[in-house]
Amino acid sequence: MPKSVSHHSHQDHLEPCQYLQIVDTIIVILDRRGHVKFINRKGCKVLGWPRSAIVGKSWFKTFLPPSIRLQTGRIFRKLMHGQLKGGEYFENPVLTRKKEERLIRWHNTFLRNEEGKIVEILSSGEDIAEQERSEKQLRESKEQLRALSENLANGMVYQIESDRAGRKKRFTYISPAVRRMHGVTPEKVLEDPGVIYRQVFSKDRSIVARAEARAARSLKILEVETRIQLPNGDLRWRRFASAPRLSLDGKRVYWDGIELDITERKKAEDALKGSKEQLELIADRMSDGLAIADVKTKKFLYVNKKFARMFGYSQKDILRKTIMDIHPSRELTHILRQFRGLLQKKIKVSTNVPCCCKKGKIFYADITGQSLIYNGRLAMMGIFRDVTEQKKATELLSQRESYLSAILENQPGLVWLKDRASRLLAVNEKFANASGYKDPKKLIGKKDLDIWPEKLARKYRADDQKVMRSRKSLVTEELVKTREALKWHETFKTPVYDARRRIIGTSGFGRDITERRAMELQLKETKERLEYLLGVTKTGVDVIDADFNLHYVDPAWQKVYGDPAGKKCYRYFMRRRKPCPGCGIPRALRTKKINITEEVLPQEGRIIEVHSIPFRDPGGKWMVAEFNFDITQRKKMEESLRENRHQLLQIIDTVPHMIFAKDKDSRFLLVNQAVARAYNKSPKELIGIRRADIHTVPAELEQYLQIDREILKDGKPRVISAESFTDAYGKKHVLQTIKIPFHLAGVKDPCILGVSVDVTEQKKVEEFRNDIVRTVSHELRTPLSIQKEGINLVLDGSLGPIAPKQKMILETVMRSVNRLSRMISSLLDISRIETGKIELRKGPVDLGVLARDVVFEFKKKAEERGIELRLELPEENIMVLADADRITQVIMNLVDNALKFTEHGTVEISAKISKGRAECAVRDTGIGISKEHLSKMFEKFQQFARTAGGGEKGLGLGLPITKGIVEMHGGRIWVQSEWGKGTKFTFTLPLFKKDISKVKNGAAYAVKEA
Amino acid sequence: MQSKKPEKTVDRKKKILFVEDEPDQITMITLRLEKNGYEVISCSDGETGLKKAAEEKPDLILLDVILPGMDGLEICRLLRANPVTKTIPIVSTTAAGADDVEKSCLAAGANACVRKPYDSADLLAKIRRLIGK
């Protein structure tokens, strides 16, 4: 190679031929001074500089690393002056623009003038690193190629060597698939390439030859599709693609190629091409939009007229658009994902895909997609059907369905829908409840036989069939025996039609009409009486002409009209001189439609509904037939209903409590005057307004809304014993509110009904009373304690001896003071319990130990009174979590009471664990409590002279306090008694959960003392 | 007990400052405390109490929480803030049942609390525990 290079360059080195530019080696020509005279494309590429930045520069100073610059320069000069022989080969690095050093293997050729003097030096260099890399790549790709060639199903690979013009071809490699592809052995092909070339269909040969020559010149990839005639006569389409590359010496071209059989594709394409016009003709007549888009670029390749119209473009314009232009941008990701999905499946339908017109209007389309090859490109064909209307209809339908279900659920009776086979399609909740199934969904698909007793079910089925056969509604009334009473049931069945008036099932409505029957019966009686009195029947028929002349009056109506012959109707009917304005005859004649009016017969006090029906008599004259219905009763009922409602509203308004109903968004649906007053508005102004819009205190509001949310969540009512409420005037109230979830007729979502009672004053009074009790008790206690202290000082003799009588008096005083002191303590205790201000010092204690202490305390007193005091304890400890002092107080109270009301016998204190709770009982054999007193035992200030059994009288607060303490511990207390036989008080406490029985006694005492 | 008392008085009697606005209460408690061998000085409001505490340096201060003017909690804090009275034990008296007041007394610097109305046995026990006889 170096030789040939020098040969070429030597011929005209001043104007180096194109060849130097394109060879894959670096070519540099330096002049005697070492300046660059020429560098080829490859050289520029390796150095990274444009040619203009290289030519003219000193090679050694600019493009060599500094470390070797001097040394190399010196060698160069020696070579130039012939002082050094050789120098054809060496390796040294160059410095690239990126300051990288690249090792190049150089081969130098010295260009001499006629005198043999070196004028220039031509160096061709090979990038060693690159060479190594490409060699490796080549190896790898060759292996891959091999592997590929063996495995290609409908193709083969080959390598051809040719000259620079693409002639003198010779196969250097051909894969064994050539047997399959061309019906010849590889060996034969390697010998004579003509074996293959001769197979090329005669008409295509010139095309192939031209393409090859072009590719050889430009060294661009050759792609050619041609027909091949196989030795067995078959004509196949083949696609040849080969990449030419120059051999290192630049003389030969190597073609790495692949040959694919594309007969099937070609056939399909030809077929398509042939039918393309036909297709477009058909496509343009399609009622759906059709578009073909390139899979890669997403550009439209073909659209039909309808498609263009759908999007508001012309057929030509839209071909410049892509899929991205016809869908709303925010849906694109989703749509493109679907588009890609289409590629994997063969046919796919995407429904409700939003599309965007030229003018921005959005419509929805169902798209059926299919991938195909169109003009040699992988494309996607989509058929678009505008379903906007359909979608709207579906939405409307689902909306209607929800209306329907709302209507179903709001019906007062049972409602159901059945198909032709009498299977249930829909029922409301009431139906479900009546059938015992509860959940309406579970009933769907069931038959009457599954739900009702057999006899009943058969009757229902027969009714259904009758309705469907006759195409008429059926009303049945039946007497149903329920557990409580006999009930009248009315069932109303109608056939259900589809859009084409085909019967598809039946619908039914059933309700309890017992009440109505009773009322009707009553009404009938009254009516009959009334009719008798008035001489008027329910309905009557008459015929009147356009001049209000009566032509016919049925016998029943004659009572009103009298003899009809030729008379004006109003003269008799209305007793007026003018045509009755509401008579409806002119209108009925004018519009030729049925007209309905109401007439009042003032003298009889009756209201008649007149249906005026225009018709033409046999003579062609327009007449009006009038059907008169007496609707007095109905009107009266409506009236009374209105009145009732009005009265109810009035009552609601006069109630001083706030009554309101709110929907789920906290909008007022109903408010009474009290609410309106609090907000300084009228009730009408508040309807539809949200509480948040009007309530000014956010903290309160949040509390209300929180409770509302909870109610709507679990559907349970709430009682709020005290909630603060600031009215529109800024005044604070305390309300006691009851909130109930309920369904308001005509409102789908649950609402909340609330009643708030203003307890501000009540709370104030309570507060005031508690304050008084606290203050008074404190003030009373100080002088008492002083008295006590004084008496004690005198009594214990520390101030000097006292006489026995004095001592007796002082002791009496002392007892009295102690009693007073206890009473005050009781008052304080009850006040604290009621206000919840008592503080319990809870700890684990043994109930048994407490009971034992109390017994010890009362032992002397019991002995004095001759009563046996018994203690009944189990072996185990009864650990409770309690305030030991307070529980002791409880037991003491009970024992004290028992002793007080027992004259002889025993008082027994027992404790045990029962049903997971600690239970303590104090039983006496005393006089007992009468029944009427038993229920009031735990009320305040109740004193029952159970006996005159001695002991001091109290305030009647002992038991209320006892109860309060027990309940504050989470326990319960009750009393059992029989007059004359004794009383038993029992209280329970929660057990202390942690097992600490081993340290029990110590712990109990420790807590007690704390 | 009576015969023993004079011997004890040979040592300096322990001095108690009693701050209480109820004169009758002062009389009774003073009698009880003196009978148990303590010397009692008393006053009926906070300002005087503070002054006396600094002057007399009592062994213990018995302090009612509810006083006219300056209340016991504040007196407690001021006593603790003054280096002279800083270490004198304080027993404060609170209304029965007012647990929270008791807590704030202890927080303000009192060493112990007794409940009103006075239980003389309890009071004496607490005083003895703090300063002995």
Side-chain angles (χ1 to χ4, degrees):
Chain A
M1 170 193 121
K3 250 182 193 168
S4 67
V5 169
S6 68
H7 171 74
H8 268 271
S9 318
H10 193 60
Q11 278 185 338
D12 52 0
H13 59 261
L14 292 175
E15 211 176 275
C17 78
Q18 197 66 16
Y19 169 69
L20 287 181
Q21 288 290 5
I22 59 169
V23 291
D24 199 35
T25 48
I26 306 164
I27 307 285
V28 185
I29 299 176
L30 303 180
D31 64 10
R32 277 181 63 92
R33 291 177 299 147
H35 287 212
V36 181
K37 207 171 172 193
F38 169 83
I39 184 154
N40 73 343
R41 213 178 277 164
K42 175 78 183 177
C44 295
K45 208 172 142 199
V46 171
L47 289 176
W49 294 98
R51 179 173 297 151
S52 56
I54 300 172
V55 175
K57 295 270 163 60
S58 159
W59 176 259
F60 302 97
K61 281 185 189 162
T62 322
F63 305 107
L64 293 188
S67 54
I68 57 161
R69 244 174 230 168
L70 282 175
Q71 188 198 352
T72 323
R74 210 173 299 135
I75 292 169
F76 174 77
R77 276 192 297 280
K78 280 184 182 172
L79 281 170
M80 280 299 172
H81 292 97
Q83 290 163 350
L84 206 67
K85 297 274 177 206
E88 278 94 358
Y89 300 95
F90 47 99
E91 280 178 19
N92 65 24
V94 293
L95 193 66
T96 68
R97 189 177 190 171
K98 286 177 187 163
K99 303 291 172 209
E100 283 170 354
E101 291 183 19
R102 285 177 83 161
L103 191 64
I104 309 289
R105 183 182 294 139
W106 294 104
H107 172 231
N108 300 321
T109 308
F110 303 99
L111 308 175
R112 299 163 195 271
N113 58 9
E114 290 75 9
E115 294 153 22
K117 194 181 164 194
I118 298 170
V119 284
E120 280 165 359
I121 183 164
L122 183 144
S123 302
S124 74
E126 284 169 89
D127 187 334
I128 297 171
E130 197 183 334
Q131 192 181 339
E132 278 172 1
R133 199 164 53 236
S134 58
E135 266 171 18
K136 193 178 159 222
Q137 268 174 0
L138 191 67
R139 253 198 325 275
E140 276 172 9
S141 63
K142 259 188 186 155
E143 271 163 31
Q144 280 171 359
L145 208 64
R146 281 286 141 74
L148 189 69
S149 65
E150 310 306 334
N151 292 313
L152 265 177
N154 57 345
M156 61 166 203
V157 291
Y158 56 84
Q159 194 181 44
I160 296 173
E161 191 193 280
S162 74
D163 67 2
R164 291 273 338 219
R167 287 188 299 266
K168 295 186 187 163
K169 287 187 283 278
R170 186 172 67 83
F171 280 94
T172 53
Y173 170 78
I174 190 142
S175 82
V178 72
R179 278 199 191 92
R180 193 176 66 236
M181 296 285 287
H182 292 277
V184 289
T185 58
E187 293 77 23
K188 211 167 181 189
V189 177
L190 289 175
E191 247 169 55
D192 173 20
V195 173
I196 298 290
Y197 280 94
R198 276 192 296 276
Q199 285 187 359
V200 174
F201 192 58
S202 53
K203 284 181 182 168
D204 292 350
R205 272 182 203 155
S206 59
I207 302 173
V208 175
R210 272 205 298 278
E212 276 183 336
R214 204 161 44 234
R217 266 204 307 282
S218 62
L219 290 178
K220 276 181 183 162
I221 286 171
L222 164 84
E223 275 184 288
V224 64
E225 284 175 5
T226 175
R227 281 166 286 186
I228 294 275
Q229 198 152 29
L230 296 182
N232 61 10
D234 279 0
L235 204 64
R236 307 288 299 177
W237 273 98
R238 293 287 157 85
R239 181 170 188 271
F240 293 91
S242 62
R245 63 184 166 86
L246 273 182
S247 66
L248 289 178
D249 61 7
K251 278 187 169 177
R252 314 283 302 158
V253 180
Y254 292 100
W255 307 81
D256 289 315
I258 182 162
E259 182 188 339
L260 290 175
D261 190 296
I262 52 162
T263 316
E264 295 308 316
R265 202 195 79 195
K266 272 285 173 190
K267 270 185 193 164
E269 267 181 33
D270 284 347
L272 189 71
K273 216 177 271 173
S275 61
K276 199 175 157 189
E277 274 174 35
Q278 209 178 344
L279 174 99
E280 285 178 9
L281 206 71
I282 294 167
D284 275 346
R285 276 171 178 68
M286 267 170 72
S287 62
D288 295 331
L290 182 143
I292 298 173
D294 190 302
V295 167
K296 245 191 199 153
T297 62
K298 314 271 190 299
K299 256 192 168 171
F300 289 111
L301 303 172
Y302 169 75
V303 301
N304 71 349
K305 273 185 191 156
K306 170 73 182 178
F307 184 86
R309 232 187 353 261
M310 270 169 116
F311 286 90
Y313 295 95
S314 75
Q315 242 170 314
K316 218 164 115 195
D317 280 349
I318 207 161
L319 292 182
R320 288 192 215 106
K321 302 284 171 193
T322 67
I323 290 174
M324 278 82 93
D325 298 320
I326 61 151
H327 295 294
S329 50
R330 70 195 152 79
E331 305 272 357
L332 264 181
T333 10
H334 173 66
I335 288 167
L336 289 178
R337 196 179 309 131
Q338 282 190 337
F339 187 79
R340 279 192 291 277
L342 283 173
L343 287 172
Q344 280 148 21
K345 291 181 187 171
K346 264 202 163 165
I347 294 184
K348 201 182 152 186
V349 181
S350 302
T351 51
N352 280 332
V353 182
C355 299
C356 188
C357 286
K358 189 181 179 184
K359 285 169 187 164
K361 205 183 118 196
I362 304 281
F363 66 91
Y364 293 86
D366 280 355
I367 304 174
T368 311
Q370 186 175 8
S371 58
L372 76 165
I373 304 289
Y374 188 83
N375 289 357
R377 272 181 279 195
L378 183 58
M380 182 67 63
M381 180 174 78
I383 293 172
F384 285 59
R385 175 165 292 170
D386 187 343
V387 291
T388 313
E389 290 308 312
Q390 199 181 324
K391 199 187 172 196
K392 269 189 204 157
T394 324
E395 270 168 15
L396 204 68
L397 199 69
S398 70
Q399 204 178 356
R400 269 197 204 136
E401 258 168 27
S402 64
Y403 285 153
L404 189 73
S405 70
I407 291 168
L408 275 182
E409 291 311 332
N410 283 310
Q411 285 295 328
L414 321 179
V415 183
W416 65 92
L417 192 66
K418 289 183 197 166
D419 66 6
R420 281 188 68 89
S422 284
R423 272 188 296 263
L424 288 169
L425 298 174
V427 301
N428 70 347
E429 230 163 78
K430 291 198 183 63
F431 185 97
N433 284 337
S435 69
Y437 272 82
K438 298 282 178 274
D439 185 3
K441 281 180 199 132
K442 283 191 184 151
L443 277 167
I444 307 303
K446 289 232 181 338
K447 285 189 165 192
D448 285 325
L449 268 169
D450 305 327
I451 306 166
W452 311 111
E454 196 189 338
K455 206 175 148 193
L456 214 54
R458 283 194 194 288
K459 185 188 169 293
Y460 290 155
R461 171 78 183 131
D463 283 349
D464 289 347
Q465 279 167 340
K466 197 170 155 192
V467 167
M468 284 189 281
R469 224 176 15 249
S470 66
R471 294 187 159 238
K472 275 180 190 154
S473 303
L474 179 74
V475 184
T476 54
E477 285 185 8
E478 56 192 337
L479 201 57
V480 181
K481 216 158 138 189
T482 67
R483 224 174 292 155
E484 296 97 35
L486 280 174
K487 294 256 178 200
W488 275 100
H489 262 276
E490 183 189 58
T491 312
F492 188 80
K493 288 188 176 177
T494 31
V496 179
Y497 302 97
D498 68 0
R500 290 184 210 161
R501 293 290 293 171
R502 282 184 309 206
I503 290 184
I504 52 169
T506 57
S507 75
F509 174 74
R511 58 179 166 175
D512 184 346
I513 51 156
T514 319
E515 294 273 310
R516 206 190 71 188
R517 287 283 291 212
M519 243 171 66
E520 269 179 4
L521 219 64
Q522 234 177 355
L523 199 69
K524 211 172 151 194
E525 279 170 17
T526 349
K527 227 177 194 175
E528 273 169 3
R529 268 205 301 275
L530 210 70
E531 275 167 5
Y532 178 75
L533 283 173
L534 291 168
V536 182
T537 53
K538 272 197 271 187
T539 53
V541 183
D542 58 68
V543 178
I544 304 169
D545 70 13
D547 299 322
F548 297 93
N549 292 320
L550 281 167
H551 286 255
Y552 168 79
V553 176
D554 77 354
W557 209 234
Q558 262 180 17
K559 286 172 197 159
V560 179
Y561 281 109
D563 183 15
K567 301 277 166 55
K568 300 280 186 195
C569 80
Y570 47 84
R571 200 166 287 165
Y572 294 89
F573 185 27
M574 309 305 284
R575 311 219 169 121
R576 289 184 207 139
R577 293 297 161 212
K578 284 181 197 162
C580 28
C583 209
I585 294 170
R587 165 176 284 216
L589 284 177
R590 194 174 66 245
T591 60
K592 308 283 187 293
K593 273 181 190 158
I594 295 174
N595 190 42
I596 300 168
T597 51
E598 273 176 27
E599 293 290 344
V600 184
L601 301 184
Q603 291 203 332
E604 293 92 344
R606 302 190 71 76
I607 303 162
I608 312 289
E609 192 176 88
V610 186
H611 292 230
S612 310
I613 303 159
F615 70 100
R616 230 193 265 258
D617 74 355
K621 196 179 161 199
W622 278 98
M623 309 284 275
V624 173
E626 287 190 325
F627 290 82
N628 306 286
F629 301 91
D630 188 335
I631 56 160
T632 317
Q633 204 61 30
R634 200 183 81 198
K635 279 279 161 185
K636 272 187 184 159
M637 277 166 88
E638 279 174 11
E639 193 70 25
S640 74
L641 197 68
R642 245 200 314 277
E643 253 169 43
N644 274 346
R645 197 172 288 159
H646 186 67
Q647 274 171 2
L648 185 72
L649 284 175
Q650 267 186 333
I651 291 168
I652 286 177
D653 271 346
T654 42
V655 169
H657 309 320
M658 298 194 211
I659 299 174
F660 55 87
K662 294 193 286 184
D663 69 6
K664 66 174 188 5
D665 301 320
S666 193
R667 250 179 259 282
F668 284 117
L669 298 170
L670 175 141
V671 294
N672 70 343
Q673 279 289 353
V675 177
R677 265 200 303 276
Y679 283 118
N680 192 21
K681 291 258 182 326
S682 76
K684 267 186 193 160
E685 284 176 297
L686 282 180
I687 302 296
I689 282 181
R690 286 183 313 156
R691 197 154 205 170
D693 298 333
I694 193 155
H695 201 82
T696 48
V697 183
E700 288 176 2
L701 182 71
E702 188 40 48
Q703 209 176 356
Y704 305 150
L705 297 183
Q706 176 62 33
I707 290 164
D708 289 355
R709 279 194 289 274
E710 282 170 18
I711 291 173
L712 290 174
K713 206 167 158 195
D714 62 15
K716 283 179 189 152
R718 297 277 192 289
V719 179
I720 305 104
S721 59
E723 61 178 7
S724 59
F725 174 83
T726 310
D727 63 20
Y729 310 98
K731 199 178 154 200
K732 286 208 184 292
H733 299 264
V734 180
L735 302 182
Q736 188 178 53
T737 304
I738 302 166
K739 286 186 174 177
I740 308 161
F742 84 121
H743 279 269
L744 195 70
V747 181
K748 197 179 159 198
D749 296 308
C751 310
I752 290 172
L753 180 72
V755 179
S756 294
V757 182
D758 193 333
V759 290
T760 317
E761 293 305 313
Q762 198 180 323
K763 289 273 164 190
K764 265 189 201 159
V765 169
E766 261 173 44
E767 199 72 8
F768 183 59
R769 197 200 66 198
N770 287 331
D771 278 350
I772 286 185
V773 170
R774 262 198 308 276
T775 321
V776 168
S777 314
H778 280 307
E779 294 308 316
L780 285 176
R781 289 174 76 131
T782 308
L784 255 181
S785 79
I786 295 166
Q787 286 175 34
K788 242 167 141 180
E789 195 61 47
I791 297 163
N792 264 333
L793 271 170
V794 179
L795 264 178
D796 68 11
S798 50
L799 300 173
I802 47 165
K805 219 163 200 178
Q806 288 171 327
K807 191 176 178 185
M808 194 198 71
I809 291 169
L810 280 178
E811 275 169 352
T812 313
V813 174
M814 191 61 176
R815 269 199 301 280
S816 189
V817 167
N818 278 338
R819 206 176 121 202
L820 189 55
S821 170
R822 272 196 296 278
M823 285 185 186
I824 292 167
S825 290
S826 299
L827 266 178
L828 263 177
D829 276 348
I830 197 80
S831 134
R832 274 193 224 118
I833 285 168
E834 284 184 352
T835 52
K837 277 179 184 154
I838 198 163
E839 206 167 307
L840 297 177
R841 302 167 182 204
K842 282 191 187 176
V845 284
D846 185 349
L847 196 56
V849 172
L850 301 186
R852 204 174 292 140
D853 285 355
V854 174
V855 169
F856 184 75
E857 195 97 347
F858 281 97
K859 210 162 196 167
K860 211 177 134 202
K861 196 177 175 185
E863 270 170 19
E864 276 170 12
R865 305 208 48 226
I867 296 163
E868 190 194 347
L869 197 56
R870 219 188 281 159
L871 180 66
E872 237 358 85
L873 289 178
E875 293 205 346
E876 61 198 328
N877 296 100
I878 307 165
M879 298 308 294
V880 291
L881 191 66
D883 183 331
D885 285 343
R886 289 296 181 185
I887 297 304
T888 306
Q889 188 185 348
V890 165
I891 306 172
M892 279 177 91
N893 265 345
L894 295 177
V895 175
D896 193 37
N897 256 349
L899 284 174
K900 210 188 285 179
F901 299 115
T902 307
E903 286 208 71
H904 44 77
T906 48
V907 169
E908 187 193 90
I909 303 143
S910 61
K912 59 178 178 180
I913 292 174
S914 164
K915 293 173 193 165
R917 296 177 79 85
E919 194 179 292
C920 180
V922 177
R923 194 170 57 81
D924 64 51
T925 55
I927 190 111
I929 308 162
S930 66
K931 243 183 192 167
E932 73 254 42
H933 287 151
L934 209 53
S935 58
K936 293 181 183 164
M937 281 310 284
F938 294 105
E939 284 177 21
K940 274 190 287 181
F941 306 112
Q942 296 286 341
Q943 288 179 317
F944 310 105
R946 285 207 289 175
T947 169
E952 62 185 36
K953 269 195 162 184
L955 281 174
L957 288 174
L959 284 173
I961 292 171
T962 304
K963 185 171 186 252
I965 294 171
V966 170
E967 284 177 355
M968 287 186 88
H969 277 88
R972 216 164 64 79
I973 185 165
W974 65 93
V975 57
Q976 294 155 289
S977 181
E978 206 175 316
W979 181 249
K981 293 215 174 141
T983 309
K984 185 185 176 191
F985 280 94
T986 315
F987 71 90
T988 61
L989 288 174
L991 281 172
F992 179 61
K993 290 280 155 55
K994 211 168 155 193
D995 184 22
I996 52 154
S997 51
K998 278 182 187 152
V999 285
K1000 60 204 171 168
N1001 282 354
Y1005 282 114
V1007 168
K1008 214 189 135 209
E1009 278 169 11
Chain B
M1 203 167 156
Q2 269 177 316
S3 56
K4 275 180 192 169
K5 213 174 78 182
E7 290 167 22
K8 284 264 168 182
T9 53
V10 174
D11 327 38
R12 194 183 69 85
K13 274 187 186 173
K14 294 273 163 74
K15 202 194 284 175
I16 294 173
L17 172 62
F18 188 21
V19 189
E20 159 73 63
D21 63 326
E22 187 83 43
D24 289 349
Q25 191 74 270
I26 294 178
T27 315
M28 281 303 164
I29 298 296
T30 306
L31 267 172
R32 174 65 74 184
L33 290 175
E34 279 176 355
K35 210 193 78 172
N36 280 278
Y38 296 104
E39 189 189 337
V40 179
I41 46 168
S42 64
C43 62
S44 59
D45 65 273
E47 283 82 359
T48 332
L50 283 173
K51 215 164 77 191
K52 282 209 169 167
E55 282 169 7
E56 305 265 346
K57 293 181 194 106
D59 295 292
L60 182 135
I61 299 167
L62 186 57
L63 182 65
D64 191 6
V65 171
I66 301 155
L67 285 173
M70 196 187 293
D71 82 347
L73 289 177
E74 204 181 336
I75 298 167
C76 239
R77 266 178 238 128
L78 289 170
L79 284 171
R80 285 290 171 252
N82 186 344
V84 182
T85 56
K86 201 174 174 179
T87 52
I88 303 174
I90 301 171
V91 175
S92 67
T93 67
T94 64
D99 290 349
D100 46 340
V101 179
E102 215 171 284
K103 272 177 210 155
S104 44
C105 279
L106 293 173
N111 298 65
C113 287
V114 288
R115 292 198 176 178
K116 243 176 159 183
Y118 294 106
D119 174 352
S120 42
D122 177 39
L123 177 64
L124 280 169
K126 281 189 172 139
I127 292 174
R128 263 189 212 120
R129 189 162 54 82
L130 285 167
I131 55 169
K133 185 119 187 180

